């Protein structure tokens, strides 16, 4: 059986980070979320406008691959 000795000294806590650190990380996270949202909207718009062209090229690629078998 293992016994641990209790001590009166608590574990050392790291020093608190400055306020600008949290502002910077929050701004970075917000910027990343906005960038991903904008990229999704742009890709959705491209897909809505060019869906016929995209489907044509996908079908053409599938047909050319099927000819290789």
């Amino acid at each position: 059986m293992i016994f641990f000795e209790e001590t009166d000294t608590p574990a050392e806590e790291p020093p608190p980070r400055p306020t600008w650190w949290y502002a910077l990380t929050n701004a970075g996270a917000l910027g990343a979320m906005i960038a991903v949202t904008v990229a999704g909207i742009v890709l959705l718009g491209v897909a809505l406008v060019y869906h016929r062209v995209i489907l044509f090229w996908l079908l053409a690629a599938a047909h050319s691959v099927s000819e290789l078998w």
Side-chain angles (χ1 to χ4, degrees):
M1 200 177 248
I2 300 174
F3 294 98
F4 293 98
E5 186 178 329
E6 290 187 23
T7 60
D8 292 336
T9 57
E12 286 188 32
E13 293 185 12
R17 290 189 169 135
T19 307
W20 61 264
W21 173 266
Y22 294 108
L24 187 65
T25 53
N26 287 341
L30 181 63
M33 287 188 286
I34 290 172
V36 167
T37 303
V38 168
I41 291 170
V42 167
L43 286 175
L44 183 63
V46 168
L48 287 173
V49 171
Y50 293 108
H51 65 277
R52 290 189 183 112
V53 176
I54 293 168
L55 287 176
F56 172 78
W57 286 108
L58 285 175
L59 288 172
H63 181 70
S64 64
V65 168
S66 68
E67 288 181 349
L68 296 175
W69 291 104

